Amino acid sequence: MTTIDRRAASALIGGAFLGFGLGRPKPALAQTSEFPEKPVTLVVPFAAGGSTDLVARVIAQKMGEILGVQVLVDNKGGAGGNLGASFVAKAAPDGYTILMGTIATHALVASLYSTPPFDPVKDFTPISWLVTVPNVLAVNPEFPAKTVADLVRMAKEKPGEYAYASSGNGTPLHLSGELFKSLTGVDLVHVPYQGSGPALVDVIGGQVPIIFDNLPSSTEPIRAGQLRALAVTTKTRAASFPDLPTMEEAGVSGYETNTWNAFFGPAGLPPEIVAKLNAAAVAAVKDPAVAKRLGEAGAVVVGSTPDELATHVSSEIARWKPVIEKSGAKID
């Protein structure tokens, strides 16, 4: 199997999203002596190069134009997103430190941990649900499996021999793999990373043959032939890859997973600051250029109110609890 230089692969992943650049920030709103008076830090709880990071950078750049201050992305990866989320939960509720939250930090954590490191409801202020993101099952192009059925057959012939990469323990991509194992009866070894970026580097380089990833971060490697996509994990096909079957269509009955990205602040964030951040976030994701870039990468724009995000978080905690219990996944 050909091994691609790690640095080159990493550069390819990051470079795939250089087209997301939307120009230098230009103030779009008249500023007052009130918030914001200085740059806002957007904490991404995963390593650079993954889907959450890439979506965050596209939105942050446009938000900076709208707010008239920079929105600086700060990657704090580790513990399946919990290190970065914990950092924001403890930050001052002044609007200058916000979180790019995910299904991992605000739905899975409630059931995966015997003692969660934070309360996803009580320790945060919802700002806006930004996008929904399909996941994808993909393999290194030199791996023999051409379809999901091929992968299942190979894994059953050699149980425990093949490994799959994910963005970390307790992430939706980890659980996507565990659900796949549960529904197909295969034995795959889980290899967790501190984000999709480093996981992709190793799968592209051939160190691990299989990956469950968010579609945005895998889009360009798939189009470039560095990955072979086998199926998306959502109920319906992704608009950006209309010929790619769903997991259900590929023969895994009852399979459905996805992820999402949303902005949260620390608990106690003042309503007037929430309103300003929400207005900027919604305007950013619904900007035609931003929406087009996100759509090309497989993300579906939402742009919700704070109350809609709060309702979504509660429903997601309830939805994932039985899935986690059935999979047997637990982190202590």
Side-chain angles (χ1 to χ4, degrees):
M1 183 177 293
T2 300
T3 300
I4 295 177
D5 180 79
R6 283 169 168 265
R7 291 187 207 169
S10 183
L12 284 167
I13 295 164
F17 276 77
L18 288 178
F20 277 35
L22 300 172
R24 294 176 62 84
K26 298 176 183 177
L29 298 178
Q31 296 300 300
T32 69
S33 60
E34 300 176 353
F35 178 87
E37 297 180 295
K38 61 181 181 180
V40 173
T41 296
L42 172 58
V43 174
V44 173
F46 297 100
S51 173
T52 301
D53 175 66
L54 299 172
V55 171
R57 290 179 187 277
V58 177
I59 297 171
Q61 185 167 357
K62 192 63 183 182
M63 276 188 71
E65 296 179 20
I66 294 167
L67 290 171
V69 297
Q70 285 186 296
V71 178
L72 305 173
V73 174
D74 183 10
N75 296 92
K76 292 185 181 297
N82 291 334
L83 291 183
S86 296
F87 177 84
V88 174
K90 297 171 185 175
D94 55 10
Y96 290 106
T97 304
I98 61 176
L99 175 71
M100 176 61 101
T102 72
I103 193 172
T105 60
H106 281 76
L108 307 184
V109 68
S111 298
L112 273 173
Y113 292 80
S114 299
T115 306
F118 50 81
D119 188 310
V121 175
K122 294 179 181 178
D123 291 341
F124 295 90
T125 301
I127 296 171
S128 182
W129 173 13
L130 304 165
V131 297
T132 297
V133 179
N135 299 330
V136 62
L137 167 59
V139 298
N140 181 283
E142 295 187 25
F143 189 66
K146 301 293 193 298
T147 65
V148 172
D150 287 345
L151 176 58
V152 172
R153 175 182 51 77
M154 291 174 60
K156 286 186 174 180
E157 289 174 353
K158 297 181 178 180
E161 182 164 328
Y162 302 115
Y164 77 91
S166 84
S167 56
N169 282 319
T171 63
L173 303 172
H174 171 202
L175 290 180
S176 290
E178 294 306 304
L179 182 61
F180 180 78
K181 289 165 58 177
S182 174
L183 293 178
T184 61
V186 300
D187 180 12
L188 299 174
V189 178
H190 176 225
V191 182
Y193 289 79
Q194 289 194 2
S196 288
L200 281 167
V201 169
D202 273 8
V203 176
I204 290 171
Q207 283 74 33
V208 182
I210 306 160
I211 188 169
F212 283 87
D213 190 28
N214 299 135
L215 189 55
S217 48
S218 283
T219 290
E220 289 305 320
I222 291 169
R223 288 177 175 161
Q226 298 169 308
L227 290 176
R228 178 191 301 122
L230 302 185
V232 290
T233 66
T234 41
K235 275 188 175 180
T236 58
R237 295 191 179 196
S240 54
F241 289 93
D243 295 331
L244 188 61
T246 66
M247 199 75 82
E248 183 96 28
E249 290 172 333
V252 187
S253 180
Y255 193 105
E256 182 194 6
T257 67
N258 61 17
T259 189
W260 42 265
N261 297 123
F263 283 162
F264 297 87
L269 198 60
E272 61 273 17
I273 292 179
V274 174
K276 286 187 177 182
L277 288 170
N278 174 267
V282 172
V285 296
K286 295 192 174 179
D287 174 84
V290 172
K292 181 175 184 290
R293 305 292 191 192
L294 293 173
E296 288 171 347
V300 179
V301 168
V302 180
S304 79
T305 66
D307 287 344
E308 288 169 340
L309 173 55
T311 299
H312 179 64
V313 167
S314 296
S315 66
E316 284 288 88
I317 290 172
R319 180 170 82 91
W320 279 95
K321 182 177 174 61
V323 174
I324 292 169
E325 290 177 345
K326 184 177 180 181
S327 75
K330 202 73 178 174
I331 301 174
D332 292 308

